[in-house]
Amino acid sequence: MVTATTKGLSRAHEIYADRGKRVRELRKAGKKIIGYICLYPPIEIITAMGMVPFRIFGDMSEPITVADKVSTTVVCPFLRSIIDLGIKGKFDFLDGAVGAHTCDIGMTTIIAWRDYIKDAPFTHLIDVPHTDHAPAVDYFEGQINFFKQHIEELAGEKLSGDKLKKACELHNKQRKLVRDLYDLRKSDPPRLNSMENLEVMVSLFSLPVEEGNELLEAVIREVKERSIKPAKKKARLLVWGPVFDNTSLYELVESTGADVVVDDTCVGTRAFWADVKAPYDLHALAQRYLVDIKCPRTYRDTQHQETERSYDKDLDSRFSYIKKAVTDWHVNGVVLQSVKYCDTHGYEVPNLRHYLDTLGIPSIYIEHDYSERSLAPIKTRVEAFVETLG
Amino acid sequence: MSETATPSKTEKKRAINRLKSMYPLRNVVQQDYIDTLKASNEGKPTVWSMLNYWEGDLPLKAMGLNIVYPENYATLLAASGAAEPFLDASDSDGFPTHMCGYGRSTIGYSYRMMKENGGKIPPDAPLGGMAKPALLLGSGIICDARFKWFQSLARYFDAPEWCLEMPMMATYEGSEPDLEAYQVKFLVKELKDFIAFLEKLFKQKMDWAKLEELTDLAVKIHETTYKISELRQSIPGPMHATDFWSSMPPSLFFAGDMKVSLKCYQDMLAEVQERVNNKVSGINYPERYRLIFAELPPWHSLKFFDSLAEMGWNFVFESFGYHAPKPPDLSKYSDPCEKLARLSRNFMFNVFPEAKADNIQNPIVETYLKIARGFKADGFFMHPLISCRAASCSLRTVQHWEQEKLDVPSLWVEGDIIDKRVFNPQEVLARAEAFEQTMDHYRKVRKSRGLDW
Ligand code: SF4
Ligand code: SF4
């Protein structure tokens, strides 16, 4: 628990170092802990049922040793890491695991979980449509409804509209606080670095929403009171890409003489930028998750039903939120990072780089295999890139 | 184990006993590329489409539109040894190299066409190439590449795009009681929007009677190909996998005139039936082992199967994702969109009830267990691809459960559909010899467990 006197950042550091600690305590006290993979399971429903949503991450420092019997090596190493940890019993504090068809392998991960990971007896897979077409939003609402019914069975009670509304408000509050925290990185130099920021984000995915909100309030207080050192760096970078749940990449980038001031990743802004809107019902959840989260896994049909298509207009509709971030955080370079074998992000790379070129923002693309070992060779390239921005 | 057709003493024995009825079907596809290009030269639009398990093919055909399938064209690039400059072009335009080989080669094709050749077809494109698209039709079925790759093609063409939807679901949720009706409702809404869009784009009305006629033909084609698949369970296996791969496009995406294709498949059914009656094998060597190929073949090295046939390896079944399941009964539905939705959805969901009954989580595992039992498989040839997640990701679990539940072993050979640099036939042949002992061993184990093969 964060008190007025506890330093928020040191608490975040502790949680980051042992993500399961707090939920284990809560589980002992009778709470159900529901793990979820990626951003698409609507966590408001879990919170509303009095359970704790816990985002399942991999571990970049733990070699993958047993997942090979379940998955081929040519798939997302982040998800392979999750399977590996699961088989090794590292998620023994979970009562359930919820996956979604965020990507091909995201879906098969939860299927494999059922056969090979025995720790979370409750599992559920949510189908996520590929487009943001109106019928797809309705379809997704139906999927969320199946999930709701299934979790009601687990809880032994029905979900009331009031509880769902309250949970949506709590999560929206968290999103607002995260946006406030990110605002504190607009200054030059930023008031907190990207490693500290990531530790806070990872903590939020490891705590009940109320505790996460308290943590955020404490962190914001603490960061606001900091005096800014005038040590400006050469570059202010935005980091883009899929899940990155480990500070090592940010350490690497910042060690080259740059500040990472903002990101578009699913452990950062992508998870917190969109709110659930009133009336906080299942349709509003469907809208928030399928349409408002900006992840390349969804085919955002920016010129739906139009018989003339403009590539430039399409790019602008898809990526103008990045343009806004570039302006608001005074970014002068973008690092696109991805794990190997991530198709949804891989196809996006040349198009996003082209868009950034049109904005006059230099970019670099780096690929790694979600292991700390694979980051070292990238450093020279990042250094050379940052050098050009100086 | 079985009698085989005996070639005359003077002619060199061909390792694979090709079906005569395969050739006209193979020609259908080649002719389709040539006809589509000719039509484009006459000013008719060409649609580029991903495989969509029929929900997109049939409306396009009913409107008389010409379609090419870059996914299929990529196999021709690989098979004719022409893929490399196209892969290189994709790399040079910044696409990561680990992505779908089909995607990379046709992204490279588009790059070369639009950025290097002033909008003209690259001169080294086989079969005359693919004309510029008037519509890019992606799909959400089976893999992420199917819509992300087409979204990327907008980089070269200002053609409009559409992404067809299809639910994806695993065993448990795939058997929710209300699921079918609600999924069909979703698909029907999407199809209606899609058809309205086609009408607007091509300024012509949908011919609904034609759509119904083609859907009926589709069902007949699939009933026929399904019967062929069933007959292939015979011993010896009457049709080799390579014949299937050469003849599948008219049933997988209805290339060419569907009436002609139906007749060709009926001829194939008759020929396979005759082989079954006379115990004629799909290879010209005694069938020593019955193999299943999972999942997508090395298009660049199909000759390699000759060497395995000479060893008595008969590939009796293959690539479940290319096979249409037994079609559903559509006679009770009157809305053509609903018929289409149900036909297409059936591909994704036909195996769920059985998977659930078998307590199997992954429907692909269930499918391959059924196949191994039905075809009395001695072994699996697992071919995980460096560039395709969808067709590779479940192979380890398939391997595990085949071994665990049926004592059917697998030979694990990493390779690729397009990139031949990652495939070493000599090494695989050496491993294949050793694998025969494994298959012999598990034959005994299965017998001792009371399994009948
Ligand atoms: S990194 Fe890519 S492949 Fe991996 S889970 Fe995320 S979206 Fe899926
Ligand atoms: S299934 Fe694999 S080979 Fe086929 S289009 Fe998708 S990624 Fe490519």
Side-chain angles (χ1 to χ4, degrees):
Chain A
M1 214 60 73
V2 185
T3 64
T5 52
T6 327
K7 291 277 190 200
L9 286 171
S10 53
R11 169 82 177 127
H13 185 73
E14 275 168 26
I15 299 168
Y16 173 81
D18 185 1
R19 291 192 62 218
K21 187 162 176 267
R22 178 64 186 138
V23 284
R24 279 177 208 277
E25 286 165 9
L26 290 164
R27 193 163 189 249
K28 256 198 191 146
K31 282 272 183 196
K32 282 205 164 41
I33 315 296
I34 306 295
Y36 65 98
I37 301 173
C38 291
L39 283 188
Y40 285 79
I43 49 178
E44 292 81 354
I45 291 184
I46 302 172
T47 297
M49 296 305 292
M51 303 176 190
V52 181
F54 178 90
R55 178 130 174 226
I56 300 171
F57 288 131
D59 183 350
M60 285 183 69
S61 56
E62 165 108 19
I64 295 174
T65 52
V66 294
D68 284 349
K69 83 166 187 185
V70 178
S71 86
T72 49
T73 49
V74 291
V75 302
C76 173
F78 160 70
L79 292 169
R80 274 166 53 76
S81 171
I82 288 179
I83 293 285
D84 195 72
L85 296 177
I87 297 175
K88 289 171 179 163
K90 303 269 170 98
F91 298 123
D92 59 359
F93 50 85
L94 295 181
D95 294 285
V98 184
H101 180 242
T102 46
C103 59
D104 297 334
I105 310 304
M107 180 179 80
T108 43
T109 299
I110 199 75
I111 296 175
W113 187 296
R114 288 175 170 158
D115 276 327
Y116 297 97
I117 301 173
K118 299 299 168 204
D119 283 328
F122 170 92
T123 58
H124 190 93
L125 172 62
I126 299 170
D127 188 18
V128 190
H130 302 88
T131 71
D132 57 359
H133 298 164
V137 179
D138 292 343
Y139 173 78
F140 190 46
E141 182 184 341
Q143 283 295 312
I144 295 175
N145 192 36
F146 283 139
F147 171 56
K148 178 188 83 100
Q149 288 168 357
H150 198 182
I151 209 148
E152 281 173 344
E153 277 171 35
L154 178 71
E157 62 171 294
K158 291 274 174 205
L159 173 65
S160 75
D162 276 355
K163 281 189 179 161
L164 182 58
K165 179 170 182 272
K166 189 161 171 262
C168 289
E169 285 168 349
L170 278 169
H171 282 281
N172 279 352
K173 179 176 173 194
Q174 180 156 102
R175 291 164 187 143
K176 163 81 173 59
L177 287 167
V178 169
R179 295 192 294 263
D180 290 347
L181 183 66
Y182 269 74
D183 279 348
L184 300 176
R185 294 162 75 196
K186 284 180 174 164
S187 58
D188 193 9
R191 282 180 172 274
L192 88 161
N193 66 40
S194 54
M195 290 78 79
E196 291 168 327
N197 184 73
L198 188 78
E199 289 186 350
V200 177
M201 296 305 114
V202 169
S203 302
L204 299 179
F205 292 119
S206 323
L207 294 173
V209 62
E210 299 89 340
E211 290 186 26
N213 291 352
E214 284 173 25
L215 175 74
L216 273 167
E217 280 162 350
V219 168
I220 289 170
R221 262 197 316 273
E222 182 182 340
V223 173
K224 275 186 175 163
E225 282 163 11
R226 275 179 166 181
S227 53
I228 303 189
K229 292 183 221 92
K232 292 187 182 188
K233 291 190 187 167
K234 280 198 256 304
R236 292 176 60 83
L237 302 179
L238 178 150
V239 169
W240 173 92
V243 62
F244 208 92
D245 50 12
N246 187 299
T247 52
S248 52
L249 178 80
Y250 291 125
E251 271 159 28
L252 180 149
V253 176
E254 298 221 357
S255 75
T256 66
D259 280 319
V260 176
V261 290
V262 66
D263 63 79
D264 175 21
T265 76
C266 53
V267 190
T269 58
R270 225 179 259 170
F272 297 101
W273 248 230
D275 287 342
V276 181
K277 302 199 177 78
Y280 310 112
D281 55 8
L282 299 191
H283 193 80
L285 287 174
Q287 172 73 26
R288 189 247 169 204
Y289 282 86
L290 187 62
V291 183
D292 298 341
I293 292 182
K294 306 282 185 267
C295 173
R297 61 82 46 212
T298 304
Y299 178 87
R300 281 188 284 127
D301 207 345
T302 60
Q303 292 164 62
H304 190 41
Q305 297 273 17
E306 286 179 30
T307 55
E308 303 271 319
R309 181 164 291 239
S310 149
Y311 173 58
D312 292 334
K313 216 169 110 189
D314 181 43
L315 289 190
D316 199 49
S317 317
R318 276 159 60 198
F319 300 131
S320 58
Y321 70 97
I322 295 180
K323 176 159 79 177
K324 185 166 181 340
V326 163
T327 311
D328 293 353
W329 274 265
H330 313 292
V331 166
N332 65 349
V334 173
V335 175
L336 289 85
Q337 63 82 27
S338 179
V339 288
K340 233 177 157 185
Y341 309 125
C342 174
D343 289 335
T344 53
H345 286 76
Y347 282 102
E348 210 81 337
V349 168
N351 302 310
L352 177 52
R353 294 193 73 187
H354 175 100
Y355 180 71
L356 293 165
D357 284 349
T358 63
L359 302 180
I361 298 292
S363 65
I364 183 178
Y365 172 57
I366 55 177
E367 214 171 73
H368 54 88
D369 69 3
Y370 192 74
S371 71
E372 284 175 353
R373 196 174 19 95
S374 68
L375 293 179
I378 292 168
K379 187 167 176 188
T380 325
R381 288 187 56 220
V382 178
E383 259 164 5
F385 173 66
V386 169
E387 207 49 51
T388 63
L389 305 174
Chain B
M1 274 179 73
S2 60
E3 297 302 312
T4 58
T6 323
S8 85
K9 283 196 180 116
T10 48
E11 67 189 57
K12 176 166 171 2
K13 192 160 144 179
R14 292 186 64 180
I16 293 170
N17 185 17
R18 309 300 305 243
L19 287 164
K20 285 193 197 66
S21 50
M22 173 274 294
Y23 296 104
L25 283 160
R26 188 169 73 182
N27 293 344
V28 164
V29 187
Q30 304 198 342
Q31 193 56 45
D32 208 28
Y33 280 104
I34 295 164
D35 292 347
T36 300
L37 197 58
K38 189 161 161 265
S40 154
N41 291 336
E42 288 160 5
K44 298 214 178 98
T46 303
V47 176
W48 284 25
S49 175
M50 291 303 299
L51 291 188
N52 52 61
Y53 294 88
W54 323 303
E55 60 171 340
D57 306 326
L58 294 174
L60 293 171
K61 283 183 94 76
M63 290 175 80
L65 294 160
N66 293 297
I67 321 163
V68 290
Y69 293 83
E71 196 174 347
N72 175 257
Y73 190 73
T75 68
L76 300 176
L77 285 174
S80 59
E84 241 161 85
F86 297 99
L87 294 173
D88 291 346
S90 163
D91 302 352
S92 74
D93 208 22
F95 285 90
T97 51
H98 59 74
M99 296 188 320
C100 173
Y102 297 160
R104 284 172 64 216
S105 50
T106 55
I107 284 171
Y109 176 96
S110 309
Y111 175 85
R112 290 187 56 204
M113 183 183 209
M114 301 309 292
K115 304 272 172 175
E116 288 179 350
N117 243 25
K120 293 206 190 75
I121 291 172
D124 50 342
L127 289 175
M130 301 181 289
K132 256 197 277 182
L135 168 67
L136 292 164
L137 181 58
S139 110
I141 308 185
I142 302 251
C143 76
D144 299 324
R146 285 209 164 87
F147 64 101
K148 290 307 292 183
W149 145 22
F150 264 40
Q151 191 179 33
S152 304
L153 288 181
R155 185 167 169 72
Y156 311 109
F157 309 111
D158 268 346
E161 298 162 35
W162 190 279
C163 173
L164 291 164
E165 282 281 13
M166 178 56 66
M168 300 272 248
M169 194 48 76
T171 316
Y172 285 169
E173 295 80 4
S175 49
E176 295 277 0
D178 303 333
L179 194 82
E180 184 172 343
Y182 127 93
Q183 287 184 333
V184 169
K185 194 171 144 206
F186 167 42
L187 288 173
V188 167
K189 270 199 232 160
E190 277 288 301
L191 279 171
K192 293 206 157 135
D193 283 357
F194 172 57
I195 289 171
F197 174 66
L198 289 180
E199 291 182 331
K200 188 162 78 165
L201 177 64
F202 294 109
K203 300 185 178 59
Q204 67 180 93
K205 287 279 161 212
M206 168 54 74
D207 183 340
W208 293 101
K210 182 88 185 158
L211 179 59
E212 291 223 58
E213 185 198 321
L214 293 183
T215 307
D216 290 345
L217 264 173
V219 168
K220 288 198 179 100
I221 287 176
H222 289 167
E223 278 166 357
T224 312
T225 52
Y226 185 74
K227 280 184 193 151
I228 295 171
S229 297
E230 297 265 280
L231 281 178
R232 292 179 66 196
Q233 296 187 356
S234 306
I235 296 175
M239 176 177 176
H240 189 269
T242 47
D243 270 351
F244 172 79
W245 290 322
S246 300
S247 62
M248 73 193 182
S251 66
L252 185 58
F253 50 87
F254 301 128
D257 181 327
M258 290 172 70
K259 276 193 191 136
V260 173
S261 301
L262 176 60
K263 170 75 180 68
C264 291
Y265 282 120
Q266 285 165 341
D267 291 347
M268 182 175 260
L269 177 63
E271 190 181 0
V272 173
Q273 180 68 67
E274 199 184 315
R275 282 192 177 186
V276 171
N277 296 345
N278 297 306
K279 292 203 173 306
V280 175
S281 168
I283 56 173
N284 283 321
Y285 288 81
E287 178 183 277
R288 293 174 58 230
Y289 300 102
R290 295 168 63 78
L291 275 294
I292 309 288
F293 191 93
E295 177 53 43
L296 306 187
W299 295 106
H300 42 76
S301 303
L302 292 180
K303 276 260 153 236
F304 162 78
F305 288 92
D306 289 352
S307 311
L308 292 173
E310 285 166 12
M311 292 162 61
W313 287 34
N314 195 1
F315 282 82
V316 293
F317 200 75
E318 64 293 300
S319 315
F320 97 92
Y322 287 157
H323 285 265
K326 190 175 181 190
D329 176 11
L330 300 177
S331 59
K332 46 185 185 274
Y333 309 106
S334 55
D335 177 353
C337 287
E338 177 162 3
K339 286 187 180 191
L340 198 50
R342 287 181 182 276
L343 180 74
S344 204
R345 181 190 175 277
N346 184 50
F347 174 76
M348 296 298 292
F349 286 84
N350 71 89
V351 81
F352 285 105
E354 293 160 60
K356 197 175 184 199
D358 230 359
N359 196 23
I360 291 289
Q361 311 302 331
N362 186 338
I364 297 175
V365 172
E366 175 68 18
T367 305
Y368 271 122
L369 283 173
K370 250 173 83 177
I371 290 168
R373 288 188 192 110
F375 284 78
K376 301 197 187 310
D378 290 306
F380 270 75
F381 190 110
M382 297 286 181
H383 187 228
L385 310 169
I386 52 160
S387 71
C388 168
R389 260 45 72 200
S392 308
C393 66
S394 294
L395 294 185
R396 275 289 182 215
T397 26
V398 173
Q399 177 187 28
H400 174 212
W401 290 114
E402 291 291 344
Q403 186 72 60
E404 179 101 1
K405 290 202 177 243
L406 300 178
D407 280 306
V408 175
S410 299
L411 181 64
W412 187 262
V413 177
E414 287 181 4
D416 195 45
I417 35 183
I418 300 291
D419 195 340
K420 62 171 182 254
R421 291 166 293 199
V422 291
F423 188 72
N424 181 344
Q426 290 317 317
E427 188 207 310
V428 181
L429 284 175
R431 288 180 55 209
E433 273 182 41
F435 186 61
E436 290 191 350
Q437 288 174 15
T438 311
M439 289 195 282
D440 291 340
H441 169 74
Y442 281 105
R443 222 175 236 168
K444 287 187 208 136
V445 174
R446 285 194 302 275
K447 288 259 155 69
S448 71
R449 283 181 53 192
L451 294 165
D452 66 346
W453 78 98

